[in-house]
């Protein structure tokens, strides 16, 4: 008779509640797939008094997460945050439990510690739900593409910002209006920092970069720019150029190492990622032999995320039943992290300039002195509050060095011809 697997769940919020529902409603099927019966030994929460619904009986609730993780075969961490989640998972691993987590922030900051502990203790750590919710992405990169050579992982991995940019584009709302709507619909949290400043997408870029390039990429290695500064004028400019603005997360293998970065880009409308609307996620994986693969689906939400958690749970449980193990952290390549300043991009630059003779030549001269070649220019009158005559001067460049562009922008900001640098966006997907 196979012993009953003991499952401890940390957190009963948006994701945890759905994990508990599926564990209850799908028990018969899940036990067949695992090859053993299971029992949820407890659900750790902060507030023991809150009603949690039929799938989380009151007697399972505990605020003693430490004791709960010390006595389990599998610990499912869906509480979020760095602490106490990190310490609890280390304790679970040290006690011999395998771990399933949806916590990208923790993995991107302290993944190394967790992977090493899991390795040392001979247990599994699975985290499909940490990147792009329901979309199977971690397992395809870690396992299905283990025989190939991944060149680039590029995608929309944050639903909240994609919703905001999509709403700005399709309804003409400002950033603040679209953010307020995203909060009303429950996409964005009360404190939207992690989403709108690109930090959530950066954590995911770190995880994807580590997996794809067999190299440790942590949060500190990812350059992240968010979408707070995207204006309605940027959205209109993109539209005029047959483009849309999207927040992309990019992990890329370069000749001299790995680059991981997150920033808003202008993307051609015929690029497959351009049509990803609302809070959906989509990721391109480009591999040497496989070519381009696209993954699309719901990147957030209780049930979609719980689907990924349950997939990991079944795998970890099966491994225990047959006394096997899943793949360990693979970091043999140990590639250097290439800073953003060493990369090249195409740029869209929008400037508020004084509308008078010689201004266009002055701007062109700054760009040319920095080795930046202009591909297209657009100019239109811009009403100025001080009665002076202004124009919005927009240029799209050919490929230019990031550091040269930073230098040119500093010079433009100090130029007498330029009243203000309005925005700078990278142009992708040519
Ligand atoms: P949530 O709704 O805020 O739920 C968090 C749960 O953890 C709550 O039940 C909370 O207890 C419990 N908790 C938090 N701190 C605790 C502590 N110190 N001790 C005991 N319990 C604690 O969060 P969520 O949206 O479900 O997200 C959970 C994780 O999944 C996060 O890592 C998140 O990044 C990840 N994730 C979420 C989504 C999504 O769409 N929501 C998608 C992908 C990944 P109380 O209920 O008592 O407050
Ligand atoms: N806040 C994230 C998003 C969901 O908006 O995509 C969890 O990864």
């Amino acid at each position: 008779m196979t012993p009953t697997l003991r499952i401890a769940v940390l957190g009963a919020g948006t994701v945890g509640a759905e994990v508990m529902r599926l564990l209850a409603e799908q028990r018969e099927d899940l036990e067949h797939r695992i090859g053993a019966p299971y029992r949820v030994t407890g659900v750790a929460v902060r507030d023991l008094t809150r009603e949690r619904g039929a799938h989380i009986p009151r007697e399972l609730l505990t605020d003693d997460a430490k004791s709960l993780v010390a006595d389990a075969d599998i610990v499912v961490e869906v509480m979020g945050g760095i602490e106490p989640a990190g310490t609890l998972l280390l304790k679970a691993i040290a006690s011999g439990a395998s771990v399933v987590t949806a916590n990208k922030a923790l993995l991107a900051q302290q993944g190394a510690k967790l992977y090493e502990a899991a390795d040392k203790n001979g247990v599994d750590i699975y985290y499909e739900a940490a990147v792009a919710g329901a979309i199977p992405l971690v397992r395809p990169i870690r396992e299905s593409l283990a025989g190939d050579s991944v060149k680039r992982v590029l995608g929309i991995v944050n639903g909240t910002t994609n919703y905001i940019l999509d709403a700005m584009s399709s309804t003409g709302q400002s950033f603040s209006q679209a953010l307020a709507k995203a909060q009303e619909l429950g996409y964005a949290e009360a404190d939207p920092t992690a989403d709108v400043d690109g930090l959530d997408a950066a954590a995911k870029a770190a995880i994807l970069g580590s997996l794809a390039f067999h190299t440790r990429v942590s949060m500190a290695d990812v350059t992240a720019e968010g979408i707070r500064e995207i204006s309605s004028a940027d959205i209109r400019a993109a539209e005029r150029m047959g483009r849309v603005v999207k927040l992309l997360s990019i992990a890329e293998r370069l000749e001299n190492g790995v680059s991981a970065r997150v920033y808003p880009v202008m993307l051609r409308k015929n690029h497959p990622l351009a049509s990803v609307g609302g809070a959906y996620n989509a990721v391109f994986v480009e591999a040497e032999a496989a070519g381009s693969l696209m993954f699309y689906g719901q990147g957030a939400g209780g049930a979609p995320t719980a689907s990924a958690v349950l997939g990991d749970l079944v795998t970890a449980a099966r491994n225990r039943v047959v006394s096997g193990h899943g793949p360990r952290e693979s970091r043999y390549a140990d590639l250097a992290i290439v800073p953003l300043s060493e990369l090249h991009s195409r740029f869209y630059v929008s400037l508020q300039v004084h509308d008078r003779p010689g201004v266009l030549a002055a701007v062109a001269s700054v760009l040319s002195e920095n080795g930046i070649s202009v591909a297209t220019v657009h100019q239109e009158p811009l009403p100025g509050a001080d009665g002076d005559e202004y124009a919005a001067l927009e240029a799209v460049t050919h490929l230019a060095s990031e550091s040269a562009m930073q230098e040119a922008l500093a010079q433009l900001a100090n130029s007498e011809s330029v009243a203000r640098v309005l925005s700078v966006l990278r142009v992708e997907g040519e």
Side-chain angles (χ1 to χ4, degrees):
M1 171 88 176
T2 323
T4 299
L5 285 165
R6 298 161 304 159
I7 299 171
V9 179
L10 306 179
T14 307
V15 181
E18 285 299 305
V19 166
M20 288 300 289
R21 179 180 69 79
L22 292 175
L23 279 170
E25 288 181 357
Q26 314 284 339
R27 176 181 286 278
E28 202 182 328
D29 283 329
L30 293 176
E31 290 187 338
H32 276 298
R33 293 172 201 169
I34 291 168
Y38 60 77
R39 178 169 69 86
V40 175
T41 53
V43 180
V45 292
R46 284 175 297 212
D47 180 359
L48 290 174
T49 62
R50 216 163 84 213
E51 189 51 54
R52 306 277 174 172
H55 299 302
I56 311 179
R58 199 170 277 271
E59 61 273 18
L60 282 184
L61 292 180
T62 176
D63 56 5
D64 183 5
K66 234 165 143 184
S67 303
L68 186 63
V69 301
D71 199 16
D73 296 302
I74 298 174
V75 171
V76 176
E77 188 271 302
V78 282
M79 63 170 34
I82 305 300
E83 287 298 346
T87 303
L88 289 169
L89 289 191
L90 286 172
K91 188 169 173 52
I93 290 168
S95 308
S98 288
V99 159
V100 173
T101 177
N103 194 335
K104 66 234 128 189
L106 177 63
L107 291 171
Q109 275 188 39
Q110 298 186 10
K113 240 198 273 182
L114 292 168
Y115 305 139
E116 275 167 19
D119 206 3
K120 187 167 146 230
N121 288 276
V123 298
D124 288 332
I125 175 160
Y126 282 102
Y127 48 89
E128 185 63 70
V131 187
I135 307 172
L137 195 57
V138 170
R139 194 165 285 119
I141 295 177
R142 183 153 83 158
E143 300 181 34
S144 317
L145 290 166
D148 206 333
S149 181
V150 176
K151 301 294 175 205
R152 193 161 75 140
V153 183
L154 166 108
I156 295 164
V157 293
N158 184 269
T160 304
T161 46
N162 200 55
Y163 171 84
I164 292 172
L165 292 171
D166 194 27
M168 287 175 77
S169 176
S170 57
T171 67
Q173 287 172 327
S174 67
F175 170 77
S176 332
Q177 287 168 327
L179 170 60
K181 189 71 187 168
Q183 284 171 320
E184 192 187 309
L185 292 171
Y187 295 137
E189 299 186 19
D191 176 2
T193 309
D195 291 321
V196 299
D197 290 341
L199 307 177
D200 174 82
K204 294 165 180 169
I207 295 170
L208 292 172
S210 304
L211 286 168
F213 307 120
H214 306 272
T215 289
R216 272 187 186 161
V217 182
S218 77
M219 189 70 179
D221 299 319
V222 186
T223 305
E225 290 172 22
I227 64 162
R228 275 186 208 270
E229 305 300 323
I230 301 295
S231 65
S232 300
D234 294 329
I235 300 283
R236 284 195 303 273
E239 178 71 31
R240 200 183 57 245
M241 293 189 276
R243 297 174 187 278
V244 287
V245 179
K246 293 285 182 195
L247 184 73
L248 288 194
S249 175
I250 304 169
E252 189 171 17
R253 175 80 168 91
L254 301 166
E255 266 178 24
N256 54 344
V258 168
S259 156
R261 54 202 196 267
V262 171
Y263 42 57
V265 303
M266 284 190 175
L267 203 59
R268 269 208 184 286
K269 278 191 175 167
N270 60 5
H271 190 284
L273 290 176
S275 56
V276 175
Y280 275 78
N281 284 189
V283 178
F284 256 86
V285 180
E286 297 165 7
E288 186 179 317
S292 287
L293 306 165
M294 186 164 166
F295 301 79
Y296 172 83
Q298 297 188 66
T305 308
S307 162
V309 170
L310 264 289
D312 280 352
L313 181 51
V314 168
T315 309
R318 273 191 202 135
N319 290 348
R320 287 188 89 89
V321 169
V322 299
S323 302
H325 290 299
R328 297 273 175 264
E329 181 197 23
S330 174
R331 58 187 177 93
Y332 70 90
D334 199 20
L335 299 167
I337 304 297
V338 181
L340 185 68
S341 57
E342 290 184 21
L343 304 190
H344 289 74
S345 295
R346 294 189 68 203
F347 291 90
Y348 159 84
V349 180
S350 170
L351 306 168
Q352 180 180 358
V353 297
H354 297 281
D355 198 359
R356 57 184 181 227
V359 164
L360 186 56
V363 169
S365 151
V366 169
L367 293 174
S368 125
E369 278 160 19
N370 285 283
I372 298 167
S373 168
V374 174
T376 61
V377 176
H378 175 87
Q379 182 175 319
E380 54 189 55
L382 192 66
D386 57 4
D388 208 347
E389 305 258 306
Y390 291 102
L393 176 62
E394 299 166 4
V396 174
T397 72
H398 289 294
L399 265 188
S401 130
E402 287 273 349
S403 52
M405 181 50 83
Q406 290 317 314
E407 180 55 35
L409 288 171
Q411 291 172 15
L412 286 170
N414 284 325
S415 157
E416 281 189 358
S417 303
V418 177
R420 204 151 64 95
V421 176
L422 296 171
S423 64
V424 182
L425 283 167
R426 291 165 187 84
V427 176
E428 274 279 342
E430 296 314 293

